[in-house]
Amino acid sequence: MATLIESPLSRLTAEQLDKIADEFDAIHDNVRAELGTRDRAYITRMIEIHRRLLVAGRIVLFASRYRPAWLAGTTMLSLAKILENMEIGHNVMHGQWDWMNDPQINSSTWDWDAASTAEAWKHSHNYVHHTYTNIRGKDRDLGYEIMRIDPHQKWNPVYLAQPFYNLLLAAIFEWGVAFHDLDFEAIRRGEKSKEAIKRELKGMAGKARAQIVKDYVAFPLISAGLAAGATWAAANVRGKTQSRVGRGLRALGLGAAPSTKRAETIADALDAARRTFRTTAQADVAANVVRNVWAYAIIFCGHFPDQTYTFSPEEVADETRGGYYVRQLLGAANIEGSPTFHVLSGNLGYQVEHHLYPDMPSTRYAEIAPRVREICDRYDLPYNTGPFLKQLGAVQRTIVRLAFPGGAPRPKPGPYRNHDGWGPRDTGNKVTALAGA
């Protein structure tokens, strides 16, 4: 299909692209030269916060049969899982901290609490997606091969259901990504060996088994055992204080026999165990869903809003280093938010900066963003950004709109301007439909 809308990439000369490459390379080299103690302190602090949240959440969930404890424990567990996936796992496996030469915090050794194996994800995401970002037919993350999120994609009747399975994907996002990493198209074309398929399926099965045992068997059993023990101990304490009165009542034929009391205590302990097992398992389900929905929202907002461009293979043939940078710039979108928001999003609110420098420590993205915007200003390039709800709403509108045949690209942002009060928060309101064929 012919390109439906002109990309700013087509308006840049070879000389301009060379200069852009030099300027973006300089940002990368400057940050690389500065990396040191404060960067190391940041990632180790994030890992420590994650561990404390995880332990605290698990401890509180020992009392999960009580609603306040359930809510508090589920919240802490959800935050721990989000932090581990987004700011730690995703970024460590991108190689952002390999410069430390730490044997544990390293892309070659790190694994995460997610369904995707590290090997499969690093190939599908780090290599395929970040190399071929938004190139139609090459970037498999464009709609994850199950959604039509760009008008250039050929319509199929199955897309009529995408507004519905989109919601399911959000809830089970880690598993959708894991199956996506298998690359069924490569399997269908015979490009993947049986050994590779078996290895990846075995890896996924191992991750599934580990998560099921950890979240839905082991920790619920521990919580249930502690709840039963606490109930039994409390009953014994009460029994000791009541024993003298009980003996007097039994002498008068009014009290219950000791065997009856023991049976009641056992029944109470078993009931506490059953309820605690169930509520702890429910908390784990809720935490995994919260983590999945959050990851889905951040990733979709960074890749599929109306602001982003897609490219035909012909448009990027013989791509130079400068062309690569511009394609990454145009194919991503930022999400505006507070510092806490950016930490919980893995600093993928700076998706533009992440795509320019996927191996740069995420904590540096906010620092280089003004320099990136300044380059956009001088070369008349857009800088895609917007509030979280605006970006998420645009993505959902696209998913619904393109579920049906037809569709045309929506207006794109004009060149970024960093003066006269026109900053990044205003660019989304100054849109210009570019000439299209």
Side-chain angles (χ1 to χ4, degrees):
M1 175 185 276
T3 297
L4 299 174
I5 194 165
E6 181 189 40
S7 161
L9 182 60
S10 64
R11 302 197 299 268
L12 295 169
T13 66
E15 182 180 5
Q16 287 176 313
L17 288 173
D18 288 342
K19 289 181 179 179
I20 287 172
D22 290 341
E23 294 191 42
F24 278 126
D25 282 342
I27 294 175
H28 180 275
D29 294 344
N30 290 345
V31 171
R32 184 78 179 188
E34 295 172 0
L35 296 178
T37 304
R38 74 178 176 99
D39 301 282
R40 179 187 294 273
Y42 175 81
I43 188 60
T44 55
R45 185 167 66 253
M46 287 297 107
I47 293 172
E48 181 66 22
I49 291 172
H50 158 253
R51 289 172 178 168
R52 290 183 180 184
L53 278 170
L54 186 62
V55 171
R58 291 297 183 190
I59 291 173
V60 172
L61 286 174
F62 291 157
S64 61
R65 66 187 189 277
Y66 303 109
R67 183 168 292 276
W70 189 92
L71 288 172
T74 303
T75 299
M76 286 187 280
L77 189 59
S78 299
L79 290 172
K81 286 176 175 285
I82 286 171
L83 193 60
E84 191 275 339
N85 267 199
M86 304 297 285
E87 181 67 328
I88 302 171
H90 172 273
N91 294 335
V92 170
M93 291 199 297
H94 254 300
Q96 293 182 5
W97 307 98
D98 286 1
W99 58 272
M100 298 192 305
N101 294 318
D102 187 304
Q104 270 100 35
I105 309 174
N106 194 284
S107 62
S108 64
T109 58
W110 193 273
D111 201 359
W112 57 355
D113 179 26
S116 295
T117 64
E119 176 191 10
W121 183 83
K122 284 188 286 188
H123 173 76
S124 175
H125 183 79
N126 292 6
Y127 172 66
V128 176
H129 171 58
H130 276 273
T131 300
Y132 303 108
T133 302
N134 284 24
I135 300 177
R136 300 188 293 273
K138 291 191 175 183
D139 182 3
R140 297 177 51 250
D141 282 14
L142 272 176
Y144 291 94
E145 298 183 311
I146 60 170
M147 289 187 184
R148 184 172 181 248
I149 49 83
D150 184 84
H152 296 91
Q153 291 173 272
K154 184 179 178 181
W155 184 80
N156 186 294
V158 74
Y159 293 134
L160 290 170
Q162 76 179 24
F164 306 101
Y165 61 71
N166 167 55
L167 300 177
L168 175 63
L169 176 63
I172 60 168
F173 190 61
E174 61 174 315
W175 295 101
V177 171
F179 279 101
H180 170 70
D181 291 343
L182 287 173
D183 194 351
F184 289 104
E185 275 298 305
I187 295 173
R188 186 181 61 82
R189 293 193 300 264
E191 298 173 358
K192 214 169 196 179
S193 68
K194 290 182 179 179
E195 290 73 19
I197 298 170
K198 288 180 181 178
R199 184 177 68 253
E200 292 181 16
L201 286 173
K202 184 178 179 181
M204 282 181 60
K207 297 298 289 283
R209 182 171 57 253
Q211 186 177 100
I212 290 169
V213 170
K214 171 174 64 69
D215 285 347
Y216 307 128
V217 179
F219 279 109
L221 276 176
I222 293 171
S223 294
L226 289 172
T231 301
W232 178 273
N236 284 337
V237 170
R238 289 196 303 271
K240 288 179 180 178
T241 61
Q242 298 170 357
S243 60
R244 292 183 180 179
V245 175
R247 283 195 296 269
L249 290 173
R250 286 195 298 274
L252 297 172
L254 301 175
S259 59
T260 303
K261 289 290 186 182
R262 282 196 296 272
E264 290 176 356
T265 300
I266 292 171
D268 288 344
L270 290 176
D271 180 63
R274 281 193 296 269
R275 286 194 294 147
T276 303
F277 184 96
R278 183 179 66 252
T279 53
T280 301
Q282 289 170 344
D284 281 312
V285 170
N288 282 323
V289 170
V290 168
R291 183 263 313 274
N292 287 338
V293 171
W294 179 254
Y296 158 91
I298 295 300
I299 290 169
F300 272 49
C301 285
H303 293 87
F304 306 140
D306 298 332
Q307 304 159 334
T308 59
Y309 288 83
T310 64
F311 307 87
S312 68
E314 293 74 24
E315 286 180 278
V316 295
D318 302 319
E319 185 177 64
T320 64
R321 182 70 175 163
Y324 166 85
Y325 277 127
V326 174
R327 174 166 58 85
Q328 299 296 334
L329 180 76
L330 299 175
N334 282 3
I335 315 166
E336 296 162 12
S338 68
T340 300
F341 170 87
H342 286 303
V343 169
L344 292 176
S345 67
N347 276 291
L348 294 180
Y350 295 102
Q351 191 70 237
V352 169
E353 287 72 19
H354 174 61
H355 265 268
L356 291 170
Y357 310 109
D359 64 346
M360 181 182 290
S362 58
T363 186
R364 295 287 189 141
Y365 291 151
E367 297 177 15
I368 67 168
R371 298 174 66 182
V372 172
R373 292 195 293 267
E374 193 270 333
I375 292 172
C376 292
D377 189 357
R378 285 190 288 106
Y379 289 95
D380 289 335
L381 294 170
Y383 183 81
N384 302 329
T385 187
F388 174 66
L389 292 180
K390 177 184 176 182
Q391 301 292 59
L392 185 60
V395 171
Q396 300 307 313
R397 178 181 59 199
T398 294
I399 289 171
V400 172
R401 179 170 56 93
L402 295 183
F404 301 94
R410 292 184 63 82
K412 304 293 183 183
Y416 175 84
R417 290 292 178 263
N418 198 23
H419 52 76
D420 298 330
W422 186 11
R425 193 175 288 274
D426 301 305
T427 56
N429 297 324
K430 303 226 179 221
V431 293
T432 326
L434 301 177

